[in-house]
Amino acid sequence: MTCRIAIIGMGKIAHDQHVPVIAKNPDFELAAVVSQRGVHPPGVPVFASSRELYEKIPNLDAVAICTPPAVRHAFAREALAAAKHVLLEKPPTPTLAELSHLEAAARGKRVLFTTWHSRFNAAVAEAKARLAGSSIRSLEVEWKEDVRRWHPGQEWIWQPGGFGVFDPGINALSIVTAIMPWAIFVKSAELFFPRNCQTPIAARLVFEQADDPAARLQAEFDWRETGEQSWNITVETADRGLLRLRNGGARLEIDGELIVDAPLAEYEGIYQHFAKLLASGESDVDPAPLQLVADAYMLGRRVEVEPFE
Ligand code: NAP
């Protein structure tokens, strides 16, 4: 049965991915959108508020919430109360408590799906399979991009709950938490805040692996990179060689040999998975990447840097 879905928040990701991917997937029909600015794809009804959406389209099955994270809990809570299934853009919520609350509200009643789009790469699945049970010597995450190029005009990223450099950085952590064979914990963090911003523009994290404290595990996130953009994860193992995930998880090399280089189809994978969840009635809620960001904030040493203009 086709799922009648509405998108809430018609910003960049809704426009670039959700609208075209829903249009291609026969399991879904875009029934409406909610947009404060009245933005909508041609022929699709638009409502100024989610309340109006539920009143006017009572047979709606699901919503995809594509707003900034700070307001997502309220939209998701309202959707679950209106008996709709919920797909959440990443990061699902700004706090772990809000996510636990949504998980409990959905349990046994509706499907809740916390999407982590970077995980929907063939190279990430392959890296996970290759690393299963392996002995890790080191992990190095390098996520460096130009915030002005990728987030023009997005004021919310600098506000509390906006995640700052962890908005892209959490994508790396979603891959790390998917592929690492053993649990890792944040041991220390340095967070670099522009003097005029509420969220960090850069961060350095050191992790520990529970059963092997000698492993060197670190991550560097930086939004000030105007040169070559890098979204790379390197894992050195004692028994499986050197794995390099490049291009945000699209390409996998092992000991210099290309293993996977698949075209990007993250959102196609997200909606295929959502269709399966809807068919089975199961939720898919993974707080692990959000947990690492929260712990980085909890342990992080604050460093002030020049204002962001
Ligand atoms: P964006 O371009 O700023 O769009 C967010 C949209 O949400 C706004 O255009 C607005 O749409 C709506 N909105 C903003 N503030 C709101 C509020 N207070 N209450 C209700 N609606 C509000 O941001 P984005 O880049 O699409 O990112 C949205 C989420 O997707 C983020 O969590 C981000 O991490 C994730 N994401 C983004 C990308 C990307 O490439 N940009 C990739 C993957 C994931 P209306 O005016 O239509 O209501």
Side-chain angles (χ1 to χ4, degrees), residues 10-13 35-37 72 90 154 156 167 267:
M10 279 302 299
K12 185 173 187 317
I13 197 61
S35 171
Q36 299 169 325
R37 293 164 303 146
R72 236 178 254 145
K90 51 65 49 171
Q154 293 185 344
W156 60 265
D167 178 72
Y267 281 79

Side-chain angles (χ1 to χ4, degrees), residues 25 27-28 87 111-116 120 266-280 282-285:
N25 188 324
D27 289 326
F28 295 93
L87 178 154
V111 169
L112 178 66
F113 178 22
T114 56
T115 64
W116 298 108
F120 287 86
E266 296 175 345
Y267 281 79
E268 286 79 357
I270 282 178
Y271 277 93
Q272 283 156 13
H273 185 58
F274 193 37
K276 282 191 197 142
L277 293 174
L278 293 170
S280 68
E282 279 169 38
S283 286
D284 179 350
V285 178

Side-chain angles (χ1 to χ4, degrees), residues 12-175:
K12 185 173 187 317
I13 197 61
H15 176 265
D16 290 357
Q17 295 290 343
H18 291 263
V19 169
V21 169
I22 289 170
K24 280 191 299 190
N25 188 324
D27 289 326
F28 295 93
E29 176 200 330
L30 185 58
V33 301
V34 174
S35 171
Q36 299 169 325
R37 293 164 303 146
V39 175
H40 64 101
V44 178
V46 58
F47 301 103
S49 75
S50 45
R51 215 178 83 188
E52 212 187 328
L53 167 74
Y54 303 130
E55 275 170 17
K56 299 276 169 60
I57 311 214
N59 65 351
L60 189 75
D61 299 304
V63 291
I65 305 181
C66 302
T67 64
V71 292
R72 236 178 254 145
H73 175 253
F75 281 118
R77 205 178 50 194
E78 182 193 28
L80 290 170
K84 311 303 172 197
H85 304 292
V86 175
L87 178 154
L88 295 171
E89 250 304 340
K90 51 65 49 171
T93 47
T95 71
L96 286 156
E98 285 186 352
L99 185 53
S100 305
H101 176 254
L102 293 180
E103 190 176 15
R107 195 172 299 136
K109 297 183 196 134
R110 286 293 174 266
V111 169
L112 178 66
F113 178 22
T114 56
T115 64
W116 298 108
H117 63 84
S118 299
R119 288 181 176 174
F120 287 86
N121 275 292
V124 171
E126 185 64 27
K128 179 186 165 97
R130 302 266 183 149
L131 287 173
S134 71
S135 170
I136 305 291
R137 284 200 180 127
S138 70
L139 163 77
E140 200 175 313
V141 176
E142 193 192 30
W143 228 250
K144 296 181 179 174
E145 59 177 56
D146 181 358
V147 64
R148 290 185 173 84
R149 181 165 156 196
W150 301 104
H151 297 270
Q154 293 185 344
E155 276 305 310
W156 60 265
I157 55 179
W158 301 114
Q159 300 306 318
F163 282 79
V165 76
F166 287 113
D167 178 72
I170 204 166
N171 298 335
L173 297 175
S174 75
I175 296 176

